[in-house]
Amino acid sequence: MRNSTYLKMALNMLLHSKLRSWLTIIGIVIGVGSVIGIVSLGDAMQASVQSSLSDLDLTKITISPGYTQASSNMHGPPGMRESGASTDSELTKDDIAALRGLDSIQYISGEISGSEKVKYAGQTATLSITGVDPQVWKYMTTLKTQSGRLLEPADKYVAVIGSSIASETYDHDIGVNQVITINNKSVRVVGVLEEKGEGDDSRIYMPIDGALNLITDAKKDVYDTITVKARSEDLVDSLVDDIVKKLMVSRHIIQEDDRDFSVTASKSMAESVTEMLSSMTLFLGAIAAVSLLVGSVGIANTMFTSVLEKTKEIGTMKAIGAKNRDILMIFLFNSAMVGFVGGILGIMLGWIVSYGLQSMLGSDMASGGGVSPYLMIEGLALAIMIGVISGVIPAYRASKLKPVDALRYE
């Protein structure tokens, strides 16, 4: 027999067992739809995270006071610190001096931060202020201005403000060269940052010398964080190790458990987030694949039933010359067809699930939503493969039936 004959006879079997076939197909539809929906959702989440991470400076390393459990209480503005914070863990200019000798460091800067009342046009709002080193800040930051400029070395009582401060915090918009008041000190706005949708939108950046006089509990030569920019991404991992060793020596720390500072690389954070999303997608996909396994059992069951129903027909076909291979191929084509139809409908279901979930979770993911052509092809191939594998044993048993026994079957 030719392949077209196998296909025609398999289609005929499928059409003449509508209810049983469709019930079997539904199992494959749910399995393929679940896998495609979850995998495509995971892909969209990874793409969204990668897009956000692309704005990160992966050469940036942040040193914070405190270590392990203590670090969670030591981050943030000084005014928000817990009173039990040890002064021994403060970052100072001596730490910066100790690190300057590391060749892999391109720039290094100490930063202070705090929350203060900021007045503008008769209104007052409590805003986050970060004091940075104007000598190097514009080379270290990835922030860009939508108007005005970044900080310059000669600046002191000037500020670069986030986009939400400029247009949302007060009734009147704040533009370049307008003046805000922080702790009764006039500060001129020299730049407005582009919108990022993050904390930077509601933050004020100003030279550390000026910020030191405006942030209530800031202390000279004491920093809330020290920021380091490595010469390249390839040097980040080794530089983190070098920073830890250097600071432990300069701070006379012998045991690792006695460390009173934390070193965090943006590159490591980005890698951790990507790995976590990949693991989560794999885990959820594996759970969804269980339904495919259930669907494959349904196909096998349907095929065994079909073989029993058509035993006499098999005997007749063999009596008029059909070979074992012909019977085998007819049933394999039939089981593959069940997988094919289930795969097509499963892809449609998966696309609907993926689009719906991505729309619910965020517009960014929805814009890049849908199911990729590669995933569609893989889903369809998987469904057909499961159909064929599930039908192998029933088809083999059908092909081995003896004509005499088959014709006598009641």
Side-chain angles (χ1 to χ4, degrees), residues 36-51:
I36 286 183
I38 289 174
V39 172
S40 61
L41 178 63
D43 290 344
M45 291 174 68
Q46 287 197 28
S48 177
V49 170
Q50 291 289 353
S51 176

Side-chain angles (χ1 to χ4, degrees), residues 2 10 100 175 206 288 353-354:
R2 293 181 296 181
R100 285 194 188 280
M206 59 184 302
V353 170
S354 173

Side-chain angles (χ1 to χ4, degrees), residues 143-147 161-163 192-197 201:
L143 298 173
K144 296 178 181 177
T145 56
Q146 65 180 19
S147 61
I161 63 175
S163 59
V192 177
L193 296 172
E194 289 181 352
E195 182 179 354
K196 295 194 68 176
D201 291 346

Side-chain angles (χ1 to χ4, degrees), residues 114-349:
S115 296
E116 300 295 337
K117 291 182 178 178
V118 180
K119 294 181 181 178
Y120 176 70
Q123 289 183 286
T124 302
T126 301
L127 300 174
S128 297
I129 300 172
T130 300
V132 298
D133 184 351
Q135 300 279 350
V136 296
W137 184 61
K138 67 178 179 181
Y139 303 112
M140 298 179 70
T141 185
T142 57
L143 298 173
K144 296 178 181 177
T145 56
Q146 65 180 19
S147 61
R149 60 172 175 82
L150 294 176
L151 301 175
E152 298 289 346
D155 290 335
K156 187 172 183 180
Y157 290 109
V158 301
V160 174
I161 63 175
S163 59
S164 70
I165 296 176
S167 57
E168 298 175 11
T169 303
Y170 301 96
D171 291 340
H172 300 280
D173 290 351
I174 304 176
V176 174
N177 289 325
Q178 291 183 305
V179 176
I180 58 178
T181 303
I182 306 174
N183 284 342
N184 299 320
K185 182 72 178 179
S186 296
V187 176
R188 184 169 59 90
V189 175
V190 296
V192 177
L193 296 172
E194 289 181 352
E195 182 179 354
K196 295 194 68 176
E198 301 171 4
D200 291 318
D201 291 346
S202 57
R203 185 175 294 273
I204 296 173
Y205 291 92
M206 59 184 302
I208 193 167
D209 288 343
L212 191 63
N213 297 327
L214 301 181
I215 297 176
T216 305
D217 53 359
K219 293 185 286 187
K220 185 175 176 58
D221 297 331
V222 175
Y223 309 107
D224 292 297
T225 58
I226 294 176
T227 304
V228 171
K229 183 177 177 63
R231 293 190 183 278
S232 74
E233 282 185 39
D234 297 334
L235 298 173
V236 169
D237 293 336
S238 61
L239 181 55
V240 168
D241 294 336
D242 292 341
I243 289 173
V244 171
K245 293 175 183 174
K246 198 78 174 179
L247 289 182
M248 288 183 70
V249 171
S250 67
R251 286 170 167 250
H252 308 293
I253 299 172
I254 299 175
Q255 299 294 329
E256 179 74 14
D257 292 341
D258 295 333
R259 271 177 60 182
D260 55 2
F261 62 91
S262 299
V263 182
T264 307
S266 299
K267 180 183 175 184
S268 300
M269 293 173 61
E271 291 174 347
S272 298
V273 171
T274 303
E275 289 176 6
M276 184 187 70
L277 282 176
S278 298
S279 300
M280 185 177 71
T281 302
L282 185 62
F283 175 70
L284 294 176
I287 293 176
V290 173
S291 57
L292 266 178
L293 181 63
V294 175
S296 69
V297 174
I299 293 178
N301 182 52
T302 300
M303 295 305 299
F304 276 119
T305 306
S306 182
V307 170
L308 292 176
E309 287 181 349
K310 297 185 178 302
T311 300
K312 277 196 172 182
E313 291 182 37
I314 293 170
T316 303
M317 291 171 67
K318 285 199 167 184
I320 60 177
K323 298 178 182 177
N324 289 356
R325 180 177 179 277
D326 297 329
I327 304 300
L328 178 75
M329 294 303 293
I330 289 170
F331 279 93
L332 283 181
F333 266 71
N334 182 240
S335 60
M337 197 171 291
V338 171
F340 176 77
V341 175
I344 293 290
L345 296 178
I347 289 170
M348 295 171 64
L349 176 64

